[in-house]
Amino acid sequence: MFNAPASVHVPTAPGDSAAPAAGGEASGWRAWGDYWFLALAILLFLLPVAGAMVRESWSTEQGAQGPLILASGLWLLAHEARGLRALPGKRSLAAAAMLPAALAVIFGRVTGNLWVDWAGSLGALAVLLYAMAGAAAVRRLWFPLLYLLFLVPIPYVIIGPLTHARKLWLSGSAVDLLSWAGYDVAYGGTTLYIDQYELLIADACAGMNSLFSLVAIGGFYIYLRHRDRVKRAIFLAAMLVPVAVFTNLLRVVLLMLVTRHWGDAVAQGVFHDAIGMVMFATMLGTLVLLDLAAAALTDRRGTPA
């Protein structure tokens, strides 16, 4: 009995064509497995900023949406990463791009600026992704990485001037609406007066928290439903800010009316906390209704929705 030489080619049957693909997939997984030490280093690198995020951000009203964004963001990242191959990018370009990300992390940790620290960390992750899997992987995962940036609220030093402008606009607009409805109202700066009551629009009532959350969750919704419909996605994204602004104006008006008719104790108690959740749900519902209305209008014009 003779042993077949190792170099002999054994033909495969037509039904065995899937065998090379399986081997290629296995080699792809082995290639990704070569980077296990990088995954461990990333985990150890992110532990400090993750701990600070839980302590300093998620325990506040501004960062309460953090756990929801983390869960949905990790799911989206894993969903979009399916089937990625290890096709490394240029090392020189990756090294050059890593420098500003590392400087942002160092600056954020030295100054205690959690948002800059987290932004730099995500930038470093994007650079590592490019080094491991190439530019195609970064283009494919751009939205999950950008979405995870919303885990930490933007610092007040950045949005402070916008917050103050929003408070002044809310004061004047709320007084104009209630004055038109016949109520005895007035305002001075960010202080509202209705009958014998005096209300102050705090920074948390300016609506920046709800705007921040709506942009994150609304963007998640738009990406999942309309990533391939550029015009619809742009339309809905452009509506996020107006929806958040006018919904928050409705919140201020309702608080003033409740104070006027049922007293300050009721308005600043359970109602104050509940109205925030109701208004956020209203914002999301309005976004969905706008989406449905755009789809109905598209169908009426004879274009596929």
Side-chain angles (χ1 to χ4, degrees), residues 39 42-43 58 77 85 97 103 131 133 135 144 164 166 176 180 194 209 214 221 236-238 246 262 275 277 284 290:
I42 290 171
L43 179 63
W58 292 2
L77 193 64
R85 300 288 181 174
L103 290 177
H164 184 68
R166 283 281 300 275
D176 289 342
W180 174 80
I194 181 166
N209 298 336
L214 181 65
Y221 169 84
L236 293 176
F246 287 102
W262 289 282
I275 193 65
M277 296 299 297
L284 289 179
L290 287 172

Side-chain angles (χ1 to χ4, degrees), residues 132-173:
M132 294 165 55
V138 177
R139 288 194 298 267
R140 184 169 176 177
L141 299 178
W142 72 270
F143 182 82
L145 292 173
L146 180 63
Y147 179 68
L148 287 173
L149 184 62
F150 286 86
L151 279 174
V152 180
I154 301 175
Y156 183 80
V157 67
I158 298 177
I159 64 171
L162 181 59
T163 300
H164 184 68
R166 283 281 300 275
K167 289 163 62 177
L168 292 176
W169 181 84
L170 284 171
S171 299
S173 299

Side-chain angles (χ1 to χ4, degrees), residues 10-95:
V10 180
T12 58
D16 295 336
S17 59
E25 184 177 355
S27 63
W29 279 108
R30 284 197 298 270
W32 278 103
D34 292 339
Y35 293 98
W36 66 268
F37 63 94
L38 275 180
L40 180 61
I42 290 171
L43 179 63
L44 295 176
F45 176 76
L46 290 179
L47 281 178
V49 67
M53 194 183 301
V54 174
R55 293 191 309 269
E56 302 174 18
S57 176
W58 292 2
S59 59
T60 64
E61 182 181 355
Q62 290 82 0
Q65 75 281 353
L68 175 61
I69 293 178
L70 177 62
S72 55
L74 290 179
W75 172 84
L76 185 60
L77 193 64
H79 181 272
E80 296 297 292
R82 290 185 303 179
L84 282 179
R85 300 288 181 174
L87 302 172
K90 295 181 180 179
R91 293 185 178 181
S92 58
L93 181 59

Side-chain angles (χ1 to χ4, degrees), residues 76-131:
L76 185 60
L77 193 64
H79 181 272
E80 296 297 292
R82 290 185 303 179
L84 282 179
R85 300 288 181 174
L87 302 172
K90 295 181 180 179
R91 293 185 178 181
S92 58
L93 181 59
M98 183 63 76
L99 180 60
L103 290 177
V105 171
I106 294 172
F107 177 81
R109 295 197 180 177
V110 169
T111 61
N113 192 317
L114 184 59
W115 188 79
V116 174
D117 188 353
W118 179 237
S121 299
L122 282 181
L125 287 177
V127 174
L128 285 177
L129 179 64
Y130 167 77

Side-chain angles (χ1 to χ4, degrees), residues 172-245:
S173 299
V175 166
D176 289 342
L177 285 175
L178 291 178
S179 177
W180 174 80
Y183 286 92
D184 184 15
V185 290
Y187 76 99
T190 59
T191 303
L192 301 171
Y193 304 94
I194 181 166
D195 287 354
Q196 74 273 26
Y197 297 102
E198 177 180 325
L199 297 87
L200 176 66
I201 299 182
D203 291 340
C205 297
M208 295 306 298
N209 298 336
S210 57
L211 175 59
F212 188 85
S213 302
L214 181 65
V215 169
I217 305 301
F220 182 83
Y221 169 84
I222 295 170
Y223 178 78
L224 286 182
R225 282 187 54 83
H226 301 298
R227 71 176 76 182
D228 297 326
R229 301 187 183 105
V230 178
K231 292 183 179 180
R232 180 79 62 82
I234 293 176
F235 166 72
L236 293 176
M239 295 305 297
L240 288 175
V241 173
V243 167
V245 169

